[in-house]
Amino acid sequence: MSDRFASHAPSLTGPASSGFPVSPSDSLDLPEITRALYIGSGGELTVAMASGQVLRFEAVPDGALLPLRVSRVYATDTSAEAIIGLI
C-alpha cells in the first residue's frame, strides 16, 4: 500500500500512527508515553503526565479524544473504560 506521508517526520500536531489498549494501574507505567488518549466509555480519569504531574479529569464524555502526553493511567479514581493510548 502506498503512503505518501512516509517521508514526513511525525509531529505532536499530526495524526497518531499507532496505539495500544490501556489497562489502568496504580503501579505500572504505560509501555510508551502517549500523544493522546481515546476514551471509549467516559467517566473520571486520573493520569500521570509526561512531566510527572498527576491530574484528575472529571466527567470525561464517551468517545473523547484527549491530547495528553501521559506515562500512566491510574486505576484509583478512574472509572473511564475502553481507553486507547495513541502514539
Side-chain angles (χ1 to χ4, degrees):
M1 167 184 327
S2 173
D3 181 359
R4 69 176 61 207
F5 300 103
S7 64
H8 292 241
S11 73
L12 288 177
T13 58
S17 61
S18 189
F20 55 88
V22 171
S23 297
S25 172
D26 291 337
S27 59
L28 296 175
D29 285 340
L30 298 175
E32 191 167 342
I33 292 178
T34 65
R35 68 185 334 173
L37 292 176
Y38 171 77
I39 311 300
S41 180
E44 277 65 48
L45 180 71
T46 302
V47 301
M49 302 296 289
S51 67
Q53 182 180 21
V54 175
L55 297 175
R56 182 168 186 254
F57 296 88
E58 296 184 14
V60 177
D62 293 354
L65 185 61
L66 305 175
L68 302 174
R69 298 200 16 93
V70 304
S71 60
R72 181 180 296 178
V73 175
Y74 287 92
T76 300
D77 293 330
T78 292
S79 60
E81 297 178 330
I83 303 168
I84 303 292
L86 299 172
I87 48 176

